Amino acid sequence: MTPSEIMSPDIPPAIPKYEQAYRTILERLKAGRYPVGGRMPTEDELARYFKVSRVTIRRSLDMLVQDGYVERRQGSGYRVVTLSPVSDTCLTSFTDAMLRTGREPTSRLLQIENLPAGDPRFAELPSELAGQAVTCISRLRLVDGKAQMLVHTYAASDLLRDAQPQDFPETGPAQSILRILRSRFMLEWSAACEDISPVAANAVMAEIFDIDAGTPILKQACSAFGDTGKTVFFEEVFRTGSVSFNLSQQIRIPTHN
Amino acid sequence: MTPSEIMSPDIPPAIPKYEQAYRTILERLKAGRYPVGGRMPTEDELARYFKVSRVTIRRSLDMLVQDGYVERRQGSGYRVVTLSPVSDTCLTSFTDAMLRTGREPTSRLLQIENLPAGDPRFAELPSELAGQAVTCISRLRLVDGKAQMLVHTYAASDLLRDAQPQDFPETGPAQSILRILRSRFMLEWSAACEDISPVAANAVMAEIFDIDAGTPILKQACSAFGDTGKTVFFEEVFRTGSVSFNLSQQIRIPTHN
DNA sequence: GAGTGGTCTAGACCACGAA
DNA sequence: TCGTGGTCTAGACCACTCC
């Protein structure tokens, strides 16, 4: 009895069991079914419930642990840690993060621009994007009406063909640039790196963010790459405030010698 | 035939097979055995070589992929991406990162200090550390003689009992504070979060880093937690330059609907 | 079509935690 | 002691890549 026989009576299996179980458990988690700080069902219980093997359900639980939602302890079981693990990278949806905490994110499209040859901004871009037509989308992100981030998204004009203002909603979940790049422009990426540096706010940003010129702010520069290693898009974010990360999944305890 | 029977003729097995294979492959990777951009052996070959099942060797390879060293593609195989994936969190060893790139990291112990009650720095610490005796270790980190980071490490004085200057070597791999906390003070942590914010260099830092006062620099604040959820230590890092991250492991491609 | 990774299973034994 | 997670296996079939 093969997996696809079980899960898909017909054509479109596509969603692996571990992914289905992951999503279902996460939904329940967020719905408060397993209270924060409380115990979760055991691996065996979950495996029985989802009708999968223990290996498979463990894979789902691995993802939840890595996401930072739950933690596990041998002999003791799983406990819910938090419903909103922090992670403020360019690849996590700011929109979703705000919605999750009950705040109101909005966007203001400032400009859709084809960079003219010789534009000095090419110097800031990954070299791979240089030497071709590049489109830059500039948006201001606000929370409860207050400016929080200035975002420039760069990609080869080929990939953003016919980008129009109406492609960039200013409210609701659809305003997420990551979602737009995927749904509207069919971009996909599988790897990325980000660099965070401190800069002084210039006059323009000072006005946007309502701070003094020269105030230190953060600049996040993120490159996303496709399966073939080609740069898919580049994003530059200027933001006030700080960014946070959950590092738990990075800890490799050198207990073994 | 159980795992421990195979791997450990006697007492101290402890190192799982997937960990052994992971380390061995990583060693070879760094030794240049599989050139960057080149193909790696297949899962079956590695499984045979290490005399483990494919599931186990896949776990080792998962770790390498997550670390950012290699990438895999269905139907094609594994390729080496880089020998030095970026990740500049407080929980990655600055010492090791520098040594890996052939540069010379050194440290200068500035102070070992028991915070007096009512010290204003308590306000910066996680609330959990407040209300008890706290020790602060201040060190300056240099690369090729140039100051790069100012690091304050805070922990309950209980945990840093009898900390002496000689506990903090100023050269070599042993200067890593993470290593010192583990080996000398037996601290262990399994979760952590980090917050990065921009600050203006004050007069002291300006002199340390040889920059103008008011120049934007980065402040990293990191809390590390033990198995029981208690804060083990808190670290505050001021640094010039930027920090970089490999985000590849965070990408959850929503291909499945 | 051959080769390679992607997913999945059923069953086993060990190590740790709590009662 | 018992329950829970930690590790491991041998074998299976599918989906994708490349020839």
Side-chain angles (χ1 to χ4, degrees):
Chain A
M1 184 151 52
T2 72
S4 51
E5 277 168 3
I6 297 174
M7 300 309 286
S8 63
D10 294 293
I11 311 105
I15 308 187
K17 295 188 187 181
Y18 68 83
E19 176 80 22
Q20 294 186 27
Y22 164 76
R23 293 192 199 180
T24 304
I25 298 171
L26 185 51
E27 258 175 39
R28 295 188 181 180
L29 220 53
K30 293 191 171 172
R33 178 141 166 187
Y34 314 122
V36 174
R39 289 251 153 45
M40 294 197 27
T42 67
E43 295 181 347
D44 280 328
E45 287 169 345
L46 289 169
R48 274 198 302 276
Y49 177 81
F50 287 101
K51 294 184 174 52
V52 299
S53 71
R54 194 171 147 227
V55 174
T56 300
I57 200 65
R58 267 181 72 82
R59 183 156 177 187
S60 307
L61 290 165
D62 282 342
M63 295 165 73
L64 289 167
V65 169
Q66 186 174 54
D67 286 349
Y69 290 106
V70 306
E71 72 180 18
R72 62 177 143 213
R73 275 164 71 188
Q74 189 174 20
S76 165
Y78 290 79
R79 272 179 27 210
V80 182
V81 178
T82 173
L83 299 184
S84 49
V86 289
S87 189
D88 292 333
T89 72
C90 292
L91 291 187
T92 55
S93 170
F94 179 71
T95 307
D96 293 350
M98 291 305 105
L99 289 174
R100 210 158 44 210
T101 58
R103 287 183 288 176
E104 170 91 21
T106 56
S107 305
R108 191 182 308 155
L109 180 64
L110 302 179
Q111 195 172 28
I112 300 176
E113 183 188 9
N114 293 305
L115 262 62
D119 190 291
R121 279 173 287 178
F122 273 111
E124 295 285 319
L125 302 183
S127 56
E128 205 188 317
L129 284 179
Q132 57 181 310
V134 168
T135 297
C136 171
I137 295 155
S138 300
R139 305 196 312 160
L140 186 62
R141 307 299 309 275
L142 309 92
V143 174
D144 298 333
K146 192 170 182 316
Q148 299 280 326
M149 305 172 25
L150 173 63
V151 183
H152 301 295
T153 306
Y154 299 86
S157 302
D158 279 354
L159 301 178
L160 298 182
R161 203 175 292 284
D162 302 323
Q164 302 293 330
Q166 57 266 34
D167 293 325
F168 301 92
E170 305 208 323
T171 58
Q175 71 185 291
S176 163
I177 188 74
L178 301 174
R179 224 166 256 141
I180 295 169
L181 292 176
R182 274 197 277 252
S183 307
R184 164 66 179 83
F185 297 103
M186 303 301 166
L187 299 192
E188 284 183 30
W189 53 95
S190 56
C193 61
E194 176 168 316
D195 187 272
I196 301 177
S197 56
V199 299
N202 63 22
V204 174
M205 296 178 194
E207 183 168 344
I208 288 176
F209 294 125
D210 190 25
I211 55 179
D212 292 331
T215 302
I217 61 175
L218 288 185
K219 170 181 164 182
Q220 294 171 273
C222 178
S223 297
F225 312 96
D227 267 344
T228 60
K230 278 193 60 173
T231 302
V232 174
F233 69 89
F234 175 77
E235 191 161 275
E236 198 175 50
V237 176
F238 297 91
R239 69 197 296 167
T240 58
S242 65
V243 299
S244 296
F245 304 92
N246 184 330
L247 301 180
S248 301
Q249 72 280 10
Q250 291 190 22
I251 298 175
R252 193 88 80 213
I253 304 174
T255 264
H256 315 299
N257 177 0
Chain B
M1 186 151 54
T2 72
S4 52
E5 277 167 4
I6 296 174
M7 301 307 288
S8 64
D10 294 290
I11 312 104
I15 308 186
K17 294 188 186 181
Y18 69 84
E19 177 80 22
Q20 294 185 27
Y22 164 76
R23 294 191 198 180
T24 304
I25 298 171
L26 184 52
E27 258 175 38
R28 295 186 180 180
L29 219 56
K30 293 192 172 171
R33 177 143 168 187
Y34 315 122
V36 173
R39 290 249 153 45
M40 294 198 27
T42 67
E43 296 181 347
D44 279 328
E45 287 168 346
L46 289 170
R48 275 198 301 277
Y49 176 81
F50 286 102
K51 295 185 173 53
V52 299
S53 72
R54 195 171 146 228
V55 173
T56 301
I57 200 65
R58 267 181 73 82
R59 182 155 179 188
S60 307
L61 290 164
D62 282 342
M63 295 165 72
L64 289 168
V65 169
Q66 186 175 56
D67 286 349
Y69 289 106
V70 307
E71 72 181 17
R72 62 176 144 212
R73 273 165 71 190
Q74 187 174 21
S76 167
Y78 288 79
R79 273 178 29 211
V80 182
V81 178
T82 174
L83 299 185
S84 49
V86 290
S87 190
D88 292 332
T89 71
C90 291
L91 291 188
T92 56
S93 170
F94 179 73
T95 307
D96 292 351
M98 293 303 105
L99 290 173
R100 209 159 45 211
T101 59
R103 286 184 288 175
E104 169 92 20
T106 55
S107 304
R108 191 181 309 153
L109 180 64
L110 301 179
Q111 195 170 30
I112 301 176
E113 183 188 9
N114 293 306
L115 262 62
D119 189 291
R121 280 172 288 178
F122 273 111
E124 295 286 317
L125 302 184
S127 55
E128 206 187 318
L129 284 179
Q132 58 182 308
V134 168
T135 298
C136 170
I137 295 155
S138 301
R139 305 196 311 159
L140 186 62
R141 306 300 310 272
L142 310 91
V143 175
D144 298 334
K146 192 170 180 317
Q148 299 278 328
M149 303 170 27
L150 174 62
V151 183
H152 302 295
T153 306
Y154 300 86
S157 302
D158 277 354
L159 301 177
L160 298 181
R161 202 175 292 286
D162 301 323
Q164 301 293 330
Q166 57 265 33
D167 293 325
F168 302 91
E170 306 209 322
T171 58
Q175 72 185 288
S176 163
I177 189 73
L178 301 175
R179 224 167 257 138
I180 295 169
L181 292 176
R182 274 198 277 252
S183 308
R184 164 68 179 82
F185 297 103
M186 303 302 167
L187 298 192
E188 283 183 31
W189 52 95
S190 56
C193 61
E194 176 168 317
D195 187 272
I196 301 178
S197 55
V199 299
N202 63 22
V204 174
M205 295 177 194
E207 182 168 344
I208 289 176
F209 295 126
D210 190 25
I211 56 180
D212 293 331
T215 302
I217 61 175
L218 289 184
K219 171 181 164 181
Q220 295 171 274
C222 178
S223 299
F225 312 96
D227 266 344
T228 59
K230 279 194 60 174
T231 302
V232 174
F233 69 89
F234 175 77
E235 192 161 274
E236 197 175 48
V237 177
F238 297 91
R239 67 198 296 167
T240 58
S242 64
V243 300
S244 295
F245 303 92
N246 184 329
L247 301 180
S248 301
Q249 71 281 10
Q250 292 191 21
I251 300 177
R252 192 88 79 211
I253 304 175
T255 264
H256 315 300
N257 177 358

